[in-house]
Amino acid sequence: MELILVLFSIIFFLFFLHCIDVYGKRSMPPGPTGLPIIGNLLDIGQKPHESLAKLSKKHGPLMTIKLGSVTSVVASTPDAARDILQRNDDVCSGRIIPDAVTSLENYDTSVLWIPPNHEWRTIRKAVNTFLTHSHKLDTLRDLRENVVEGMLDFLKESSLKNEVVNIGKLAFGVALNQMSNTCLSQNVTNYESDDIGGFKRAVKTLMEVDGKFNIADIFPVLKPLDPQNLRKQAKAAYGWFDDVIEGFISERLKHRNSKLPRFGDMLDSMLDFSEDNAADFSIIHIKTLLVDLFIAGTETSSNTTEWAMTELLLNPTMFSRVREEVSSIVGEDGKIKEAKILELPYLHAVVKETMRLHLSVPLLAPHKTEKEVKLGEYLVPKNTQILVNVWAIARDQRYWEKPLQFMPERFLGKEVDYKGQYFQFLPFGSGRRMCPGIPLAHRVVSLMVASYVYHFDWKLTHAREEMDMNDIFGLTLLRATPLVATPTLVN
Ligand code: HEM
């Protein structure tokens, strides 16, 4: 009898250990119970950043969500974000490619979407050789200032005619020209007509289509049907882009062969890099990379500018403070120089506070686990989608005083910046997938906001209290109602 008891105890103990192994080590983070087949689809709705923030209050900083066949782990605190983007960055830096993106001919060379492999590292190197070097960006400063001059001419005309201006739409055209000047040393659009050459339409279409919820992404059996026509629309826009960019590249190759002086822009830098790394970085990579940069760097910048202007038009004291600060560095020719505005502390604080309260990319670009990984006390399997709700973190009162108020002063004299080291503030992400466009974005947004504020007074078309502050979720978090106001030239 004693022997049986001992044996029983041993078996029970082993079974207990097995349970800890299976259920303890292997369990996913908790999350809301889903319905069969669709999972938590009905919990998510039109504004995933908001519904996930609410759900995380109940289910915790790491939470599992299931949408159709896609399982996601959502991080909603700085610690959980650090665990993913710093401690386990190597494993959590994959991507799930949306079905619409696969219509880009060479999507498997796209820095935005390929896994963090050797090819991706080479492309990031090609990007960094130009974009993260201030002195290289500075060589194109005159071009960027010319783009702003063009914008001011348009606004002066509107001021003379007392015409209402759609500030975000204008900022989008400006951001597009800033990107095209950085990459190709030329403008690709103007501000008077709706579109020139189709750039605005192509970028807007791709932002919309790639950012739309696509039922085929969560039920892959539907992919061949393309039920929302998203792949078809994306294919047309990508195809247009591909042809146009190919034209720019072949023109540039001719120019380089003619031995005329180089432009010294991003395209020249990519072609130089390709000559030095011919086996790893081809013309196809350059073509795809240029498309990627237009998609990643245009609407994000214009959208941030539009939100900054929204807040400044709602807060006249802050508006005046920015104008006063900018006045102090305006040259005798009455022009704002990019080099001088970059160090203006209050303007910088306004841009940071805009990026905190109105995050352009609220869930970061979705990441994916490349293999099984331990996050906190959980074991998350390979191929799990990872969403970092930076929007929820940036509005959490545990980390921010009066988080829903626009208060640029909170950044004055503080070290907190957006370069991925402060996990309560990650507008550009962190770790290896972090945005490489920060220095350019900083220049473009600051120059635009400074110019709008210094040169013009703005009259809203409605009372301040009636300002719609709603946003629409997509690849970027856009204003639901465009910001419109009438400019009056003052400087
Ligand atoms: C205010 C403006 C901008 C914001 C808020 C922004 C934000 C972001 C965010 C959140 C990501 C994803 C990070 C992640 O997946 O963890 C990203 C990726 C990226 N951004 Fe930006 N960005 C901006 C401007 C730019 C500009 C101007 C460029 C290019 C000149 C650019 C190029 C890229 C690229 C290439 C990636 C993909 C990186 C990769 O997957 O390896 N961005 N950006």
Side-chain angles (χ1 to χ4, degrees):
M1 183 64 186
E2 232 178 50
L3 188 67
I4 290 174
L5 258 178
V6 170
L7 271 176
F8 186 77
S9 307
I10 291 173
I11 289 168
F12 181 78
F13 183 59
L14 287 175
F15 181 65
F16 177 63
L17 285 182
H18 172 79
C19 285
I20 290 183
D21 191 42
V22 172
Y23 298 107
K25 217 173 80 182
R26 287 193 183 282
S27 69
M28 289 282 282
T33 316
L35 294 170
I37 304 176
I38 61 170
N40 303 110
L41 197 58
L42 302 180
D43 295 320
I44 300 303
Q46 301 282 321
K47 295 193 171 191
H49 54 304
E50 289 184 16
S51 42
L52 291 174
K54 270 190 207 132
L55 287 170
S56 79
K57 290 208 170 102
K58 183 163 172 212
H59 299 283
L62 269 185
M63 169 177 79
T64 304
I65 292 287
K66 220 167 158 5
L67 299 182
S69 65
V70 178
T71 303
S72 306
V73 165
V74 187
S76 310
T77 61
D79 252 1
R82 186 194 299 276
D83 209 15
I84 289 162
L85 300 172
Q86 192 179 61
R87 289 188 207 110
N88 294 292
D89 183 30
D90 53 340
V91 187
C92 295
S93 290
R95 296 269 197 230
I96 292 180
I97 306 180
D99 187 48
V101 171
T102 59
S103 64
L104 170 64
E105 200 182 336
N106 300 300
Y107 74 92
D108 52 355
T109 58
S110 161
V111 70
L112 298 174
W113 301 111
I114 62 175
N117 53 19
H118 172 74
E119 190 178 15
W120 171 83
R121 269 191 295 280
T122 309
I123 306 172
R124 285 287 300 224
K125 241 189 247 166
V127 174
N128 289 347
T129 2
F130 193 87
L131 274 188
T132 57
H133 288 282
S134 289
H135 67 277
K136 291 209 177 163
L137 280 178
D138 288 346
T139 56
L140 301 182
R141 200 187 279 147
D142 290 351
L143 289 181
R144 283 193 296 277
E145 287 169 2
N146 283 342
V147 172
V148 169
E149 281 299 306
M151 172 188 96
L152 292 178
D153 289 343
F154 171 78
L155 284 175
K156 283 174 193 165
E157 195 66 27
S158 310
S159 164
L160 272 176
K161 294 184 192 156
N162 202 25
E163 264 174 8
V164 171
V165 170
N166 181 329
I167 293 180
K169 196 166 156 196
L170 177 61
F172 180 64
V174 174
L176 206 50
N177 277 340
Q178 294 291 23
M179 184 59 75
S180 64
N181 275 281
T182 303
C183 294
L184 310 164
S185 298
Q186 57 185 286
N187 286 344
V188 291
T189 191
N190 70 3
Y191 312 123
E192 290 83 24
S193 68
D194 252 4
D195 206 2
I196 284 263
F199 257 86
K200 277 188 198 161
R201 193 175 339 118
V203 177
K204 274 275 177 209
T205 304
L206 289 173
M207 297 299 294
E208 263 168 44
V209 170
D210 291 352
K212 231 183 212 152
F213 169 75
N214 185 354
I215 192 87
D217 284 330
I218 62 166
F219 296 115
V221 287
L222 296 177
K223 280 185 186 178
L225 301 175
D226 188 21
Q228 289 155 267
N229 255 340
L230 296 179
R231 188 156 19 91
K232 190 170 164 212
Q233 289 176 54
K235 193 176 167 71
Y238 276 130
W240 177 91
F241 233 129
D242 225 38
D243 290 348
V244 170
I245 295 282
E246 210 165 86
F248 279 119
I249 296 176
S250 66
E251 278 300 309
R252 181 59 64 88
L253 287 172
K254 272 189 225 149
H255 181 90
R256 284 164 72 97
N257 285 337
S258 73
K259 306 281 181 260
L260 285 165
R262 297 261 163 107
F263 288 92
D265 54 16
M266 183 96 189
L267 179 53
D268 269 339
S269 164
M270 289 180 193
L271 289 166
D272 291 344
F273 188 86
S274 173
E275 281 166 17
D276 298 341
N277 300 272
D280 293 327
F281 191 72
S282 65
I283 293 291
I284 288 185
H285 287 104
I286 296 181
K287 221 166 67 164
T288 315
L289 183 51
L290 285 169
V291 176
D292 282 345
L293 294 179
F294 274 102
I295 291 173
T298 308
E299 196 172 73
T300 40
S301 303
S302 60
N303 181 36
T304 305
T305 306
E306 188 181 10
W307 277 113
M309 284 304 292
T310 305
E311 290 292 356
L312 290 175
L313 294 184
L314 287 178
N315 295 284
T317 321
M318 295 176 193
F319 184 98
S320 305
R321 191 163 168 189
V322 173
R323 181 179 283 171
E324 204 178 299
E325 198 183 51
V326 175
S327 314
S328 68
I329 51 92
V330 169
E332 283 185 353
D333 57 359
K335 292 186 177 165
I336 301 172
K337 296 284 172 210
E338 182 188 280
K340 297 221 167 143
I341 55 163
L342 292 182
E343 298 311 323
L344 292 179
Y346 192 70
L347 174 64
H348 199 183
V350 165
V351 172
K352 279 184 182 170
E353 178 67 343
T354 305
M355 290 183 178
R356 182 193 70 79
L357 196 57
H358 304 289
L359 272 147
S360 226
V361 197
L363 300 173
L364 299 183
H367 288 216
K368 187 190 78 173
T369 51
E370 292 287 289
K371 50 185 184 188
E372 191 178 63
V373 60
K374 190 163 184 295
L375 295 178
E377 59 197 280
Y378 307 105
L379 205 63
V380 175
K382 183 178 170 174
N383 287 333
T384 305
Q385 174 162 275
I386 303 277
L387 302 172
V388 182
N389 195 344
V390 290
W391 182 90
I393 298 172
R395 288 174 170 233
D396 192 323
Q397 59 189 9
R398 285 174 291 179
Y399 321 113
W400 300 95
E401 203 191 325
K402 299 187 185 156
L404 301 185
Q405 277 188 30
F406 186 78
M407 301 195 310
E409 309 77 43
R410 72 171 86 238
F411 284 104
L412 287 177
K414 298 272 167 44
E415 272 188 10
V416 180
D417 68 24
Y418 40 52
K419 295 186 185 145
Q421 292 310 307
Y422 296 90
F423 286 83
Q424 70 276 37
F425 183 46
L426 296 174
F428 295 99
S430 178
R432 64 192 66 196
R433 282 286 182 176
M434 188 170 86
C435 176
I438 299 176
L440 182 62
H442 180 188
R443 283 165 169 73
V444 168
V445 174
S446 305
L447 193 56
M448 254 197 282
V449 174
S451 306
Y452 279 145
V453 171
Y454 173 72
H455 292 290
F456 300 94
D457 278 339
W458 295 86
K459 191 166 178 303
L460 289 167
T461 50
H462 48 72
R464 285 201 187 96
E465 309 73 59
E466 288 165 17
M467 179 75 86
D468 179 6
M469 297 300 272
N470 277 312
D471 49 39
I472 301 178
F473 184 86
L475 266 195
T476 56
L477 208 52
L478 294 175
R479 279 185 54 74
T481 315
L483 176 66
V484 290
T486 314
T488 306
L489 184 66
V490 288
N491 282 306

